[in-house]
């Protein structure tokens, strides 16, 4: 695993996201109101909706297709929905966002 530089934190709007593409996956990198940064697989576990186009609430994102709420911390769908998506480690150093990828 290696840390990949993504962008300055200021380039991700509060309550917004950015999409990072690797050779095998698409990852949504989200910024919360309190400047927390989280990364999860960009596909909703329900119908594969693009989570990066969803609305961020606290530490969750709401899928734009069917309103499922997915935890940015655990990747799990909030009850009563079931399912989960993969989370990826992130860090901020000197105002730059990094993502740990293979």
């Amino acid at each position: 695993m290696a840390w990949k530089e993504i962008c300055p934190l200021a380039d991700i709007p509060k309550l917004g996201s950015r999409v990072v593409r690797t050779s095998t996956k698409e990852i949504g990198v989200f910024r919360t109101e309190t400047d927390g940064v989280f990364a999860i697989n960009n596909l909703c576990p329900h119908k594969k909706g693009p989570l990066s186009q969803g609305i961020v609430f606290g530490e969750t994102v709401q899928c734009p297709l069917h309103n499922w709420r997915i935890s940015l911390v655990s990747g799990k769908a909030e009850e009563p929905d079931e399912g989960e998506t993969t989370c990826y480690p992130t860090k901020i150093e000197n105002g730059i966002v990094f993502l740990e990828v293979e």
Side-chain angles (χ1 to χ4, degrees):
M1 300 288 261
W3 289 102
K4 177 180 178 173
E5 183 176 327
I6 303 303
C7 65
L9 177 62
D11 285 359
I12 305 173
K14 286 188 183 230
L15 304 178
S17 66
R18 255 187 112 103
V19 174
V20 175
R21 290 176 179 83
T22 70
S23 60
T24 59
K25 55 191 119 193
E26 191 171 277
I27 300 169
V29 180
F30 299 84
R31 180 178 176 188
T32 67
E33 181 70 32
T34 59
D35 293 331
V37 176
F38 298 91
I40 61 174
N41 185 331
N42 196 37
L43 299 176
C44 179
H46 176 226
K47 296 277 186 173
K48 308 300 182 216
L51 294 174
S52 61
Q53 294 177 23
I55 298 171
V56 176
F57 297 93
E59 293 182 338
T60 63
V61 62
Q62 185 172 331
C63 179
L65 295 184
H66 299 101
N67 300 324
W68 278 36
R69 287 191 177 196
I70 309 299
S71 169
L72 295 172
V73 176
S74 68
K76 293 182 181 182
E78 288 187 356
E79 292 183 359
D81 300 318
E82 296 179 359
E84 65 184 281
T85 194
T86 306
C87 295
Y88 301 93
T90 61
K91 66 180 180 178
I92 301 170
E93 288 184 353
N94 299 318
I96 304 295
V97 176
F98 291 85
L99 172 67
E100 190 174 38
V101 294
E102 295 175 13

